[in-house]
Amino acid sequence: MTTDNQDGFSTRAVHKGRGFAGTTGAVMPPVFMTSTFEKDNPDGFDYTRSGNPNFRLVEEAIASLEGAQFATCFASGVSAITAVLSCLKSGDLVLAEENIYGCTYRLLERVFNKFGLVARYCDLSQPANWEEIRRQKPAVVWLESPTNPLLKILDIAGISAVAAEVGATVVVDNTFASPYLQRPLELGATMSLSSTTKYVNGHSDCLGGIVATNDTAWHKRMLFAQKALGLQPSPFDAWLTTRGQRTLALRMERHCANALELARWLETRRGVRMVRYPFLPSHPQHELARRQMKAGSGILIAEFDCSTEKALEFCRKLRLFTLAESLGGVESLVCHPPTMTHAQVPAEVRRKVGIGDGLIRFSVGIEDVADLRRDIDQALTEVIG
Ligand SMILES: Cc1ncc(COP(=O)(O)O)c(C=O)c1O
């Protein structure tokens, strides 16, 4: 099996990461469930905290899919974020999009803040605010696009160009798009970080994180963080990620088609105050989304005119959407961000960035879309009217 640089995304997703079969001819690599390796082996492994064949396979494959020279895998998306932030020093400034994932916010405010890291936030979907990058000269500009949960689209190329003027590193959390829909490094970012727990694995059966980059110094730092902080995944989880990656393109196509259809329908449905989906013309950054992403991904949000209690009642009435954290798996999930993923963000911050009590996030799975639509319709009729 060989792949070359002309192979398309789906071909690379299927064929990359098939090494270490030895003389067995195994088409799928085995799981190397070993904590340690005999000294001086030709592949250079020593101890699984600092490397394992299953890590190398997932890293090689995701690097290729992200269009990167290097990738480093971690135990979860939060481990990957920890790895990047651990490389900064006291007094460094992180200028972050104001609507980042709640646990990224928590890491900045409640963990790294204690060690002197400073984080400031602004609405980077507004080009006028990019001036803050020139003015504040941060060490790192932290982006997420689409953002969680508001699905704001940030102009990665535009922001990266401004960050380059002041020598700032640009990190893009690419979890919601996946490398199938968006490749931040090609748009000028320094690092593309993903929770592979979501779309890349796609089956809700393991956690993982990855950081892809073309920057040799950052790659070395990521390898150091993987072993020095003990942020590595288990070989089995790395293997599950490789297995999930094989079908990434196919799954994303169905996620995107289903989500777009549901978003279009919800916009016309009584009782729905607002629907947001990057590929709907009503999305504030619709043109940018079409430029930057291949399709709109599988997440959509809707706001109902209701209290937290009613919003949760709606979620519980759904038959096919399970009320659960996470997203990006083959099965549809629903989430109430104010009481779940973003509960640790202070209420006033939530309100300021637009996370209201009636906000619902749907992670649209790959089921038959007619069934998903019927399910939302019956729950809406019963609870909201
Ligand atoms: C945008 C984003 N980044 C990072 C993470 C963290 O990933 P993990 O749960 O794998 O630690 C999540 C999890 O929901 C996420 O939505």
Side-chain angles (χ1 to χ4, degrees):
M1 174 279 314
T2 52
T3 53
D4 68 38
N5 291 337
Q6 283 171 15
D7 286 333
F9 187 97
S10 301
T11 305
R12 284 178 285 130
V14 171
H15 289 283
K16 285 280 183 189
R18 285 180 56 184
F20 298 108
T23 54
T24 66
V27 168
M28 251 316 258
V31 192
F32 288 84
M33 293 302 275
T34 181
S35 58
T36 192
F37 300 82
E38 187 175 348
K39 199 159 172 49
D40 300 326
N41 64 79
D43 287 315
F45 292 107
D46 57 19
Y47 188 60
T48 280
R49 180 152 37 74
S50 50
N52 176 290
N54 294 109
F55 301 0
R56 287 226 191 128
L57 295 174
V58 79
E59 289 169 349
E60 172 202 319
I62 306 292
S64 167
L65 300 183
E66 289 274 1
Q69 232 178 314
F70 315 107
T72 314
C73 66
F74 297 98
S76 65
V78 162
S79 305
I81 298 165
T82 300
V84 174
L85 296 179
S86 76
C87 298
L88 302 180
K89 58 184 190 315
S90 177
D92 277 350
L93 171 67
V94 177
L95 186 63
E97 154 58 30
E98 66 180 10
N99 173 221
I100 47 171
Y101 173 55
C103 295
T104 308
Y105 180 84
R106 181 171 62 188
L107 274 175
L108 286 165
E109 293 303 312
R110 295 186 48 198
V111 180
F112 286 96
N113 176 277
K114 285 189 300 208
F115 302 104
L117 196 66
V118 181
R120 296 203 192 106
Y121 307 89
C122 70
D123 179 358
L124 290 169
S125 68
Q126 300 300 322
N129 291 341
W130 301 352
E131 198 46 40
E132 290 304 310
I133 301 173
R134 290 193 185 94
R135 200 174 65 76
Q136 301 197 40
K137 299 186 176 42
V140 167
V141 177
W142 195 282
L143 310 179
E144 208 176 284
S145 189
T147 64
N148 183 0
L150 295 173
L151 306 182
K152 282 161 63 175
I153 304 294
L154 308 184
D155 184 342
I156 298 171
I159 296 170
S160 297
V162 175
E165 289 173 25
V166 296
T169 293
V170 176
V171 182
V172 177
D173 187 327
N174 201 30
T175 301
F176 269 40
S178 89
Y180 181 64
L181 301 180
Q182 172 173 282
R183 285 180 288 284
L185 303 185
E186 291 171 4
L187 298 167
T190 321
M191 282 178 276
S192 175
L193 177 155
S194 286
S195 163
T196 54
T197 311
K198 313 298 194 272
Y199 285 112
V200 175
N201 166 270
H203 294 76
S204 308
D205 53 13
C206 79
L207 273 74
I210 200 107
V211 177
T213 187
N214 288 318
D215 184 310
T216 311
W218 270 106
H219 173 55
K220 284 191 181 142
R221 288 177 201 135
M222 290 300 93
L223 286 174
F224 178 79
Q226 187 192 53
K227 72 174 168 191
L229 279 76
L231 297 173
Q232 78 293 335
S234 92
F236 185 48
D237 285 356
W239 182 90
L240 284 169
T241 306
T242 298
R243 188 181 61 169
Q245 149 223 313
R246 302 269 181 254
T247 54
L248 177 62
L250 265 182
R251 286 184 284 105
M252 288 315 291
E253 279 165 19
R254 176 65 81 89
H255 283 297
C256 295
N258 281 1
L260 179 60
E261 189 167 332
L262 288 181
R264 281 186 180 140
W265 164 70
L266 269 171
E267 261 197 329
T268 64
R269 176 68 168 75
R270 238 176 337 104
V272 183
R273 187 195 288 167
M274 176 277 286
V275 179
R276 187 154 297 166
Y277 181 72
F279 268 45
L280 279 183
S282 58
H283 189 288
Q285 295 97 33
H286 173 240
E287 288 303 319
L288 172 63
R290 287 196 174 262
R291 245 193 354 260
Q292 192 167 275
M293 299 169 72
K294 191 180 164 83
S297 197
I299 318 293
L300 70 96
I301 56 170
E303 187 159 29
F304 306 142
D305 221 345
C306 71
S307 61
T308 290
E309 292 68 34
K310 280 273 175 201
L312 286 168
E313 195 186 331
F314 162 81
C315 294
R316 293 207 175 86
K317 281 273 177 330
L318 291 164
R319 184 176 66 87
L320 297 173
F321 289 80
T322 306
L323 180 58
E325 305 263 351
S326 205
L327 55 103
V330 290
E331 67 293 311
S332 290
L333 299 179
V334 66
C335 158
H336 181 243
T339 55
M340 294 169 70
T341 49
H342 289 66
Q344 67 278 359
V345 178
E348 66 279 6
V349 177
R350 277 204 310 267
R351 235 167 277 127
K352 181 175 166 276
V353 301
I355 305 174
D357 293 344
L359 191 79
I360 304 286
R361 185 186 79 188
F362 297 93
S363 171
V364 181
I366 64 168
E367 301 94 332
D368 291 302
V369 70
D371 297 334
L372 299 179
R373 176 173 159 165
R374 217 161 14 95
D375 193 27
I376 296 175
D377 201 34
Q378 62 79 23
L380 264 175
T381 304
E382 198 157 330
V383 181
I384 316 277

